[in-house]
Amino acid sequence: MLFMVEMDVAIPLDFDADEAAALKAREKAYSQDLQASGVWRHIWRKAGLYSNVSIFDVADNAALHDTLMALPLYPFMTMKVTPLCRHPSSIRDDDS
Ligand SMILES: O=C(O)C[C@H]1C=CC(=O)O1
């Protein structure tokens, strides 16, 4: 199942800088592992914002939930999740 997930990150300005850097490093590794495995299909920066729009390919709603809850930056994120399905006008043979 495909989902578009929009993530807005807001780390408090007074949050410890070293701790924030460590969380961002863990987040990057977690994200890149999921990208390599095909679960995190796409990630795009929203220009000018500490936000991204991502496409996840997971088995079901519960798998998406578990994946998102495990994001190291999750406590500092606001998310919007949108389920996706194929568009009838798509010229692609599959959802790649
Ligand atoms: O920077 C972000 O958009 C937040 C988060 C998502 C992946 C990652 O590496 O960081």
Side-chain angles (χ1 to χ4, degrees):
M1 296 173 69
L2 295 175
F3 294 89
M4 176 178 72
V5 181
E6 295 167 86
M7 303 178 196
D8 301 327
V9 186
I11 299 174
L13 291 176
D14 61 354
F15 193 75
D16 181 80
D18 291 339
E19 212 174 316
L23 275 174
K24 289 177 188 178
R26 285 179 47 219
E27 178 85 16
K28 183 172 185 173
Y30 180 72
S31 170
Q32 291 185 335
D33 282 350
L34 289 173
Q35 288 174 62
S37 72
V39 167
W40 198 324
R41 287 259 201 110
H42 296 277
I43 179 168
W44 293 92
R45 179 62 80 212
K46 292 185 182 177
L49 298 173
Y50 193 1
S51 296
N52 71 72
V53 56
S54 293
I55 305 295
F56 285 85
D57 187 356
V58 290
D60 53 26
N61 292 11
L64 181 71
H65 180 79
D66 292 345
T67 300
L68 297 180
M69 292 288 288
L71 288 163
L73 285 176
Y74 179 82
F76 304 103
M77 288 177 167
T78 304
M79 296 196 195
K80 182 179 172 197
V81 174
T82 306
L84 301 176
C85 57
R86 283 182 57 72
H87 194 287
S89 300
S90 175
I91 62 167
R92 297 177 187 276
D93 293 332
D94 57 25
D95 64 2
S96 60

